[in-house]
Amino acid sequence: MTTATSPRRTGGPDRPSGAAGGSPQKHPLLNRIFGKHPLGLIFSAPYLVFIAIVFAYPLGLAVWIAFHDFYFTAPGVPVDRPFVGFDNFRTALTDPDVWQAFGNVGIFLLINVPLTVVLSLVLANGLNQITRFRTFLRVAYYVPYVTASVAVVGVWLFLFNGNGLVNEILGPLAPSPSWLINSTWAMPTIALFVTWKQLGLYILLYLAALQNVQQELYESASTDGAGKVRQFFSVTVPGVRPATLLVLLLSTVTGANLFTEPYLLTGGGGPNGSSASPVLIMYQRGLEQGNPDVAAAIGVILIVLVLILAYLQNRFAGERN
Amino acid sequence: MSTKTPRTRRTLATASAAALALVAVTACSSGGDGGGGGNGGGGGEEGRGDITVWYSNNEQEVAWAEQMIEAWNADNPDQQVEGQEIPAGASSEEVIGAAITAGNAPCLIYNTAPVAVPQFQKQGGLVSLSEFEDGDEYIEERSGETAAQYASEDGAYYQMPWKSNPVMLFYNKDMFEAAGLDAENPSLATYDDFLAASKEIVDKGIAPNAINPAPTSEFFQSWFDFYPMYAAETGGTQLVEDGASTFTSEDGYAVAELWKTMYDEGYSSREQYQGDSFADGQSAMATVGPWAIGVYDDVNWGAVPVPTSDGIAPSETYTFSDAKNIGLYTACENQATAWDLLKFSTSEEQDGQLLELTGQMPLRANLTETYPEFFEENPAYELFGDQASRTVEVPNVPNAVTVWQTFRDAYSEAVIFGEGDIQSSFEDAATEIDELVSE
């Protein structure tokens, strides 16, 4: 096996010391802390502060709460918050509702994520090729994404209730009990709803990615005798791979945080908890029932599972290099 | 073999250190108890001065609160009250809970749900009204025997019993008439009567459902299907009494069986109706309180007590109170002013205003005798005024919301969706609930 090395463009151990190094070499510690371009830190500081306050601090606090006996109190109320190790995790993991919720969201992700990737890629590809009604169709797909869930949920309730349009069309094939009160169909219906609602965003991501696929590749493929389908699988799909990874990650993360739809569409995770999600259970335990420590433990478990999923997606769908 | 580059290692090390530092900083900041005193510092119980109060955002209660505050402010220039509607949120309880935690709750909230009181009390958010010299005396004199239901486990009052909306059975007279039922004196006293009327209404296609309580899973939904009938069937028993659940009884099973039949026969829908099915003519009956009188303007309605298996007399029938109370919050600096305002706003005069402006029943003993003119002029409310003296509250126990969620889950499974046996579902729920209230 041979290994090829390319000459380093900047820095590196083979660089003559003192030559063109300038001030960074004079303050190696400052250089290591602030980097070569400290000004960049100033520009990125507002966003870093935002991330620290809005994401990092709550995340750290959630981890801390998950390992303590914690409940919210008024300022100044003397209360012990002893370290309880994994007690809150034990409480969460011995609660059948929590297991059911994780199972439900697993079903949701199994339906929602692949459906989102396939539909958004196919539709984006179609939208990229058509010339008539292009703007209208792009807006049409995007409108559900920017419409408030509360408003759209109302429409879906009318569509999928016992006497709704869907059952009218299906006639005797309609499930009984109807979709949203059927323990088998409630979660798939929610997955379908979320897929439809989020599709506009992912189509936009794919449309942007498609602009970067070189036209020459299609021409070469065509010259080699590849038809439209072959071109799609051999040129388009590999060409938008980074976008696919992004869509996978985003749809997984947003799907794992499912809350509004079971809260509104199935009236609090019904029937019998078959559409409850981990975040809905967190809301019930943490805010309604006053057990934020158990809710935080569920949240930490959820984060770990999502990180594992994200790692696997990155490992198997990401760029090989 | 590790393939990590030095850069990757450095990045990982930096990220790990940052994460650890973050958790440590978070832990330090969370471990502290913050400043201020448990009673909000400032003047505490002796404090006098300007205060802020919150009230519900419905039109009628806003009108009542505005006139009440105006009357107080006119007489108390050195202790002015500023009123505002409870900030919007998923529920009032969440908003109030957040305000307690943040230390910015107002002095009084005229919409404190009894089910949330144990939690607010645990949070250190509520002032014990019993600590005021005339606290217990004032509450018990005004509300009579009913007041006892609102005392906490330590025997003190952390809420002022304010107003109830005793739940009764509304029915649509036009629909009853169309179904061939007696619209003026409907036979709805027993379960058999109730089922027979429901059958007529649905079988004759008068309405898609006879009655449509929300079949959803929220913890409070049982207050409008199971609980009023359970209160009536048991002659005024709470869901939990003396530290133990009570619903695994013949009475509890009888109510559950009735509702199960309603769902199985299609007299009630397992699907959530978008809107108010009674107002929209989609059902012929509803279990609601007197607040609904103003809402059901377009419906030719009548009201009767909720049914019982044997059909006991209306004058002996209990129901769920659906009360909202007043809490005095520890963040309040001028608690003496707040206590005086609390008494002013629950005086005979202001209770009369509440009755006039909202149609809701002040939790006051001898209500109908105290305001005879109102009930004479508004006969529709007379039944509710009488019913207000026989109401059952949600039990004031630890983990009250979890208790109700546990019950709702069991009820939803066994009664609404008919999966599993009612008795074993209720027994499992009772075991869980008994553990919860003993914590």
Side-chain angles (χ1 to χ4, degrees), chain A residues 68-82 88 285-294, chain B residues 33 38 96-97 100-101 112-128 152-154 156-159 328-330 396-402 435-439:
Chain A
H68 290 78
D69 181 4
F70 184 95
Y71 56 91
F72 297 117
T73 56
V77 173
V79 58
D80 277 338
R81 284 168 178 159
N88 293 321
R285 300 291 186 273
L287 294 178
E288 284 188 343
Q289 300 172 13
N291 297 309
D293 45 7
V294 177
Chain B
D33 285 325
I96 297 169
I100 290 172
T101 308
T112 300
V115 74
V117 166
Q119 184 62 31
F120 294 164
Q121 189 186 333
K122 184 182 174 188
Q123 287 182 260
L126 286 167
V127 173
S128 167
S152 289
E153 285 212 317
D154 61 2
Y157 292 102
Y158 290 84
Q159 57 188 318
L328 201 168
Y329 290 80
T330 51
N396 192 333
V397 291
N399 300 308
V401 174
T402 317
E435 281 175 24
L436 284 166
V437 296
S438 66
E439 279 177 12

Side-chain angles (χ1 to χ4, degrees), chain A residues 56-57 60-61 64 71-77 79 81 157-158 161-162 178 181 264 267-268 270-272 283 288-290, chain B residues 22 26-27 29-30 33 35-36 94 100-101 103 119 122-124 216-218 270-271 274 401-402 405 412-413 417 419:
Chain A
Y57 175 74
L61 182 59
W64 187 87
Y71 56 91
F72 297 117
T73 56
V77 173
V79 58
R81 284 168 178 159
L157 280 169
F158 283 115
N161 71 21
S178 194
I181 54 165
L264 295 174
N272 297 333
Y283 165 76
E288 284 188 343
Q289 300 172 13
Chain B
L22 178 71
T26 308
S29 63
S30 305
D33 285 325
E94 283 164 38
I100 290 172
T101 308
Q119 184 62 31
K122 184 182 174 188
Q123 287 182 260
T216 49
S217 312
E218 295 92 348
R270 294 186 171 109
E271 272 190 307
Q274 295 306 299
V401 174
T402 317
Q405 187 67 64
S412 176
E413 184 178 8
F417 292 102
E419 291 173 15

Side-chain angles (χ1 to χ4, degrees), chain A residues 1-320:
Chain A
M1 195 176 86
T2 57
T3 54
T5 55
S6 59
R8 291 169 188 270
R9 273 183 242 166
T10 55
D14 51 339
R15 198 168 182 177
S17 64
S23 57
Q25 292 299 328
K26 289 177 188 168
H27 305 287
L29 184 63
L30 289 178
N31 190 24
R32 279 174 69 180
I33 295 171
F34 295 110
K36 286 181 188 166
H37 304 289
L39 199 62
L41 270 181
I42 295 171
F43 286 125
S44 55
Y47 189 65
L48 284 175
V49 170
F50 173 77
I51 290 285
I53 293 172
V54 177
F55 292 102
Y57 175 74
L59 178 63
L61 182 59
V63 173
W64 187 87
I65 289 173
F67 286 97
H68 290 78
D69 181 4
F70 184 95
Y71 56 91
F72 297 117
T73 56
V77 173
V79 58
D80 277 338
R81 284 168 178 159
F83 177 76
V84 292
F86 286 94
D87 277 7
N88 293 321
F89 291 89
R90 201 171 296 121
T91 305
L93 292 172
T94 51
D95 184 343
D97 293 346
V98 174
W99 281 99
Q100 188 183 19
F102 275 104
N104 292 339
V105 91
I107 293 169
F108 174 88
L109 291 175
L110 277 175
I111 298 168
N112 171 257
V113 176
L115 204 59
T116 298
V117 172
V118 171
L119 280 179
S120 52
L121 177 55
V122 169
L123 289 169
N125 195 47
L127 280 175
N128 199 39
Q129 291 179 20
I130 61 167
T131 49
R132 299 187 70 184
F133 306 119
R134 178 187 281 199
T135 308
F136 168 76
L137 288 169
R138 284 183 182 187
V139 171
Y141 284 119
Y142 200 66
V143 164
Y145 178 71
V146 292
T147 309
S149 275
V150 178
V152 186
V153 158
V155 176
W156 274 62
L157 280 169
F158 283 115
L159 281 176
F160 280 88
N161 71 21
N163 304 315
L165 185 65
V166 173
N167 281 4
E168 290 290 323
I169 292 168
L170 288 175
L173 295 175
S176 178
S178 194
W179 304 92
L180 295 167
I181 54 165
N182 186 311
S183 42
T184 307
W185 286 105
M187 208 58 190
T189 309
I190 288 176
L192 198 66
F193 169 81
V194 174
T195 305
W196 167 77
K197 190 170 185 317
Q198 304 278 355
L199 213 53
L201 171 71
Y202 300 123
I203 288 174
L204 274 192
L205 291 177
Y206 271 125
L207 275 172
L210 284 168
Q211 311 315 309
N212 291 329
V213 181
Q214 292 173 358
Q215 199 56 37
E216 290 82 357
L217 291 173
Y218 290 105
E219 287 163 8
S220 302
S222 181
T223 309
D224 290 346
K228 288 284 180 193
V229 175
R230 183 65 195 232
Q231 284 179 32
F232 177 76
F233 283 107
S234 299
V235 179
T236 308
V237 173
V240 297
R241 190 174 198 146
T244 301
L245 181 63
L246 184 63
V247 171
L248 276 171
L249 288 173
L250 281 178
S251 56
T252 303
V253 171
T254 52
N257 285 301
L258 185 72
F259 172 77
T260 311
E261 289 74 17
Y263 184 67
L264 295 174
L265 206 54
T266 52
N272 297 333
S274 59
S275 66
S277 66
V279 179
L280 181 75
I281 298 287
M282 284 169 65
Y283 165 76
Q284 289 180 341
R285 300 291 186 273
L287 294 178
E288 284 188 343
Q289 300 172 13
N291 297 309
D293 45 7
V294 177
I298 299 170
V300 170
I301 295 168
L302 186 64
I303 289 170
V304 170
L305 290 178
V306 170
L307 283 176
I308 291 170
L309 273 180
Y311 168 77
L312 291 175
Q313 287 171 343
N314 193 34
R315 175 79 180 75
F316 293 107
E319 294 287 354
R320 289 289 180 266

Side-chain angles (χ1 to χ4, degrees), chain B residues 342-357:
Chain B
L342 199 154
K343 288 190 286 185
F344 172 79
S345 59
T346 53
S347 61
E348 191 173 319
E349 185 195 343
Q350 283 301 325
D351 278 349
Q353 287 288 321
L354 182 74
L355 200 54
E356 286 274 356
L357 293 170

